[in-house]
Amino acid sequence: MMNCNAYERIFKRLDEDGDGKLSPSELRRCMETIGEELLIEEAQELVESMDSDGDGLLGLEEFVGWMEREIKLRDHEERKMEELREAFRMYVMEGSECITRTSLKTMLSRLGESTSLEDCCVMIGEFYVNGDGVLSFDEFKLMMFKKIFVCLI
């Protein structure tokens, strides 16, 4: 995590008019410099969501709080994605980049599930997108997110 001095230096650089506050337009220009398109309406909504004193601008403390939340969120998302990659690798046979019906059957067998190759083919068929009969990592993610969503319902 960055220290407060680093956040303050970033804040001062973004504060184009030097008033000690970031306006939606300053925030929008900042995002443009890093290659992100942000409409002025989106910038206003973003500032409003972080603006704790209701002045329509971001002070240094509000900016630091926002930056720390964003960094924590990204770190959390990266950890979750790595956990998903590890789970995917458990189902992939050595030398392969995807989950086949055979690798799925093997892993399910290790987990104590007795499943036929045909059943594995059906399971995979539910989620492969490109018709190749195997699951790529992106298709595996889709499958896992669908499972999570169904569990929440």
Side-chain angles (χ1 to χ4, degrees), residues 2 17 23 26-27 29-30 38-39 41 59-60 69 76 78 85 88 96 99 102 107 111 114 142:
M2 290 180 165
D17 60 10
S23 67
E26 287 172 320
L27 189 59
R29 283 190 293 279
C30 157
L38 189 66
L39 300 173
E41 296 83 12
L60 177 61
R69 283 188 302 277
H76 176 74
E78 286 174 13
R85 279 189 188 93
F88 177 75
S96 177
I99 298 172
T102 304
M107 188 55 178
L111 295 171
S114 177
L142 178 69

Side-chain angles (χ1 to χ4, degrees), residues 11-27 29 57-58:
F11 181 85
K12 285 180 179 179
R13 187 172 203 131
L14 300 176
D15 182 16
E16 295 171 346
D17 60 10
D19 67 352
K21 300 278 186 164
L22 294 181
S23 67
S25 59
E26 287 172 320
L27 189 59
R29 283 190 293 279
L57 303 167
L58 290 183

Side-chain angles (χ1 to χ4, degrees), residues 29 73 104 113 129:
R29 283 190 293 279
L73 179 63
L104 179 59
E113 296 287 327
V129 178

Side-chain angles (χ1 to χ4, degrees), residues 80-88 137 140-141 144:
K80 289 294 178 192
M81 194 57 64
E82 186 52 38
E83 288 172 6
L84 204 52
R85 279 189 188 93
E86 286 177 32
F88 177 75
F137 178 67
F140 179 74
K141 282 191 310 192
M144 296 306 289

Side-chain angles (χ1 to χ4, degrees), residues 84 88 97-100 123-147:
L84 204 52
F88 177 75
E97 297 284 322
C98 55
I99 298 172
T100 65
M123 286 183 227
I124 288 174
E126 225 180 300
F127 295 99
Y128 68 76
V129 178
N130 60 6
D132 61 1
V134 296
L135 289 181
S136 66
F137 178 67
D138 288 334
E139 293 164 332
F140 179 74
K141 282 191 310 192
L142 178 69
M143 178 184 77
M144 296 306 289
F145 291 137
K146 182 177 179 184
K147 282 182 143 185

Side-chain angles (χ1 to χ4, degrees), residues 68-126:
E68 288 179 346
R69 283 188 302 277
E70 286 296 310
I71 289 170
K72 283 180 186 175
L73 179 63
R74 287 202 174 117
D75 288 347
H76 176 74
E77 289 170 356
E78 286 174 13
R79 279 193 308 275
K80 289 294 178 192
M81 194 57 64
E82 186 52 38
E83 288 172 6
L84 204 52
R85 279 189 188 93
E86 286 177 32
F88 177 75
R89 286 190 289 266
M90 288 174 52
Y91 287 88
V92 172
M93 293 182 95
E94 196 170 318
S96 177
E97 297 284 322
C98 55
I99 298 172
T100 65
R101 65 185 186 155
T102 304
S103 67
L104 179 59
K105 180 177 177 18
T106 301
M107 188 55 178
L108 291 176
S109 181
R110 286 183 191 154
L111 295 171
E113 296 287 327
S114 177
T115 310
S116 70
L117 281 176
E118 291 75 28
D119 288 342
C120 291
C121 191
V122 169
M123 286 183 227
I124 288 174
E126 225 180 300

Side-chain angles (χ1 to χ4, degrees), residues 1-10 64 67-68 71:
M1 192 96 46
M2 290 180 165
N3 66 34
C4 287
N5 289 335
Y7 289 131
E8 189 171 357
R9 284 194 308 273
I10 293 168
V64 169
M67 291 293 291
E68 288 179 346
I71 289 170

